[in-house]
Amino acid sequence: MTTRAPAIAAHDLIKTYPGDVKALDGMGITVEAGTVFGLLGPNGAGKSTTVKILTTLARPDSGSAVVAGHDALRHPDRVRRAIGVVAQKSGADPVATGRDNLLLQGRLYGVRGAALTRRVDELLDRFDLADAAKRTVRTYSGGMQRRLDVALGLVHRPEVLFLDEPTTGLDPEARSAMWEEIARLKGDEGLTILLTTHYLEEADRLAEHIAIVDRGRVVAEGTPDELKGQLRGDAVQVELREPVGPVEAQLLETALAEFAGVREAVLDGVRLSARADDGPAAVPHILAVLEREGAAVASVTVARPSLDDVYLRHAGRRFAEADTTLVTAGGAR
Ligand code: ADP
């Protein structure tokens, strides 16, 4: 359909940090121009390291990265001019006004005069910051600061915009406002967006194409629907009253798999995740096996496959459980 070259083409990226931490282990993505591409993975998966390499802030040990038609390793300066970066940490100066931040950013990229003022006004309007334009940024709410960060990334009209975990730390209201902003950016002619996130829902809502990253490489990719479509059948989730040890879990998984309608039963602690051609029909069988084995059930749900199920299938564990921050922050979800 499209004859334009990909906006991002990265292959076989390896990156090792001191202490033998393999942050990237064969990472590769191809992002079509004019699309929103989501890099989805738990904390520590390697998303930020990938973004650092693509935005020329880090070099891989090996592999290749072409961004907006320029080789990120050989011509980092050309790549920098063609991209906008919204990092996890705000780059805005807290003691300057929102407007001055935008003007300064524009000048850094060589935008000047009337063109710059026009662009800054347009962005202040678009990100609903016009009323706050003359206030210092430190008086902004978290959501306003984040919107300013995105505006800063857009001043020089980049071809590719990198959004690194754009809604991390925002309250639910500011998060959904930011989702609306990003969805509107999709409409911008030609703009390609690479979004990293550890929120399944965020990737599902915003990205046309998703690469699921685990331990430094892509374990699955496709449109959200394609990824979910790979998992035929229903997802049956059973929550047990007591956690089950690994040996017992294995026995239960084997017993459950004997029923023809059940596939991929995985028991992890108190949570049993199974796939079934016909979810409702499989529930009585699953409950009977659990009862026979003495595992008391707290709840049962049957649902269409989610991205969490896709992740489980490819990474062998639940998304939230792989996410060290979420787990230490008080239990997975
Ligand atoms: P994500 O963005 O998906 O959370 P990162 O790319 O930040 O993942 O991290 C990937 C792995 O590399 C993690 O194990 C992380 O601890 C490690 N890592 C990232 N940056 C550094 C660094 N500067 N020094 C050492 N290890 C790092």
Side-chain angles (χ1 to χ4, degrees):
M1 197 174 62
T2 169
T3 50
R4 286 173 72 183
I8 299 173
H11 299 293
D12 305 319
L13 293 175
I14 308 272
K15 174 80 182 174
T16 315
Y17 284 114
D20 220 16
V21 179
K22 207 158 203 188
L24 298 185
D25 189 13
M27 177 74 197
I29 50 168
T30 302
V31 179
E32 295 306 326
T35 63
V36 179
F37 189 101
L39 274 187
L40 173 69
N43 275 303
K47 305 179 300 294
S48 293
T49 304
T50 305
V51 167
K52 277 190 198 142
I53 291 170
L54 296 174
T55 58
T56 79
L57 296 175
R59 287 182 74 85
D61 305 342
S62 60
S64 65
V66 174
V67 179
H70 307 292
D71 187 322
L73 304 177
R74 278 193 292 168
H75 301 292
D77 48 331
R78 294 184 197 165
V79 169
R80 266 175 239 145
R81 277 195 294 271
I83 62 173
V85 182
V86 183
Q88 279 181 42
K89 272 221 178 83
S90 172
D93 177 356
V95 297
T97 66
R99 186 180 182 81
D100 284 346
N101 266 287
L102 286 164
L103 288 169
L104 177 65
Q105 178 85 355
R107 283 187 208 114
L108 283 175
Y109 278 96
V111 192
R112 308 229 185 273
L116 177 58
T117 338
R118 252 200 324 274
R119 180 67 172 157
V120 166
D121 287 337
E122 181 186 307
L123 289 168
L124 286 167
D125 257 354
R126 164 167 206 167
F127 288 94
D128 204 14
L129 291 168
D131 292 342
K134 292 189 177 143
R135 274 165 46 194
T136 55
V137 170
R138 68 176 162 205
T139 69
Y140 284 17
S141 70
M144 290 164 77
Q145 286 198 19
R146 218 58 201 128
R147 298 207 299 278
L148 177 66
D149 289 335
V150 178
L152 286 167
L154 291 170
V155 178
H156 58 297
R157 300 182 193 277
E159 282 176 57
V160 183
L161 182 70
F162 290 87
L163 294 174
D164 199 4
E165 310 229 340
T167 67
T168 296
L170 294 184
D171 60 56
E173 203 179 320
R175 171 169 302 147
S176 54
M178 181 53 85
W179 284 350
E180 274 172 38
E181 290 307 339
I182 297 169
R184 276 204 281 150
L185 286 177
K186 273 193 196 187
D188 263 25
E189 210 175 310
L191 185 66
T192 306
I193 299 178
L194 184 89
L195 167 89
T196 75
T197 182
H198 63 246
Y199 296 117
L200 296 157
E201 193 191 348
E202 184 161 291
D204 208 353
R205 286 263 299 261
L206 294 177
E208 287 147 81
H209 198 95
I210 293 174
I212 299 184
V213 186
D214 190 53
R215 299 187 172 110
R217 63 197 173 83
V218 172
V219 293
E221 66 175 300
T223 67
D225 282 344
E226 275 166 10
L227 286 170
K228 289 182 258 177
Q230 290 171 0
L231 300 177
R232 275 169 298 136
D234 299 326
V236 182
Q237 297 265 3
V238 181
E239 192 117 3
L240 301 178
R241 288 193 195 281
E242 303 279 337
V244 167
V247 177
E248 219 183 335
Q250 186 94 55
L251 283 173
L252 280 168
E253 285 170 10
T254 312
L256 289 166
E258 277 163 17
F259 181 61
V262 175
R263 302 184 246 143
E264 297 174 33
V266 181
L267 182 51
D268 192 4
V270 291
R271 193 194 303 257
L272 168 71
S273 310
R275 311 214 55 74
D277 297 329
D278 180 346
V283 167
H285 168 76
I286 291 173
L287 293 182
V289 170
L290 292 172
E291 193 183 332
R292 193 182 73 208
E293 303 297 329
V297 170
S299 68
V300 184
T301 52
V302 178
R304 300 297 306 145
S306 69
L307 281 180
D308 196 16
D309 299 309
V310 176
Y311 181 76
L312 175 71
R313 160 87 169 280
H314 291 283
R317 58 205 197 285
R318 286 258 158 225
F319 201 82
E321 275 139 23
D323 190 318
T324 44
T325 329
L326 289 181
V327 171
T328 42
R333 75 183 71 189

